[in-house]
Amino acid sequence: MQAVSRTMRKNGGGSIINASSVEGLAGMPSCTAYAATKWAIRGMTKCAAMELGPKGIRVNSVHPGMIDTPMTRVHGGDAAMEYGASKVPLRRVGVPDDIAPVYVFLASDESSYINGAEIAVDGGVTSTHAFGA
């Protein structure tokens, strides 16, 4: 953000989109270090949105849930994908094509009044209450 904000200010504004995770919205056992970095991105996004908004720069974060990629498949392959899908209200894990349009939207002028938002793209995982799952 620091590297691009100066150029964005000179060019009249822009959109910064930070990549986080659902672990930046809720805790998960055995993921303390990972979750801490994702919560940090969330907080950094909020602060930057307030600081850069007056300069015409919007700052938002995207929080994907379980996405079927080589990185997630390394932790159990098809079995992990099936187990993950069973925990998602939509009963499937996401694919990269579920995430990409959110980034395109946030980068576009169609989202010109969205600043400081955290967008969960998780099939509904973060919509639940602890007793609802």
Side-chain angles (χ1 to χ4, degrees):
M1 289 188 302
Q2 186 178 20
V4 300
S5 64
R6 182 174 294 135
T7 300
M8 287 180 153
R9 281 193 303 264
K10 288 179 187 174
N11 290 333
S15 175
I16 296 172
I17 308 158
N18 292 319
S20 186
S21 168
V22 292
E23 273 70 57
L25 300 172
M28 183 174 176
S30 303
C31 287
T32 303
Y34 180 77
T37 64
K38 301 310 176 181
W39 280 84
I41 291 168
R42 183 180 178 195
M44 180 180 65
T45 297
K46 300 283 188 185
C47 293
M50 294 176 70
E51 293 169 9
L52 298 174
K55 296 166 177 57
I57 301 169
R58 297 177 292 108
V59 186
N60 297 288
S61 58
V62 176
H63 300 257
M66 188 173 190
I67 304 300
D68 189 349
T69 66
M71 183 184 87
T72 55
R73 281 191 166 272
V74 87
H75 300 289
D78 287 342
M81 296 299 112
E82 289 173 22
Y83 176 77
S86 75
K87 300 296 184 184
V88 177
L90 289 181
R91 295 297 185 249
R92 69 176 181 89
V93 298
V95 295
D97 284 346
D98 292 321
I99 306 299
V102 177
Y103 281 90
V104 172
F105 170 70
L106 288 173
S108 76
D109 289 340
E110 292 178 6
S111 64
S112 66
Y113 200 58
I114 299 175
N115 187 38
E118 46 202 35
I119 311 295
V121 186
D122 64 359
V125 168
T126 55
S127 66
T128 188
H129 183 281
F131 296 117

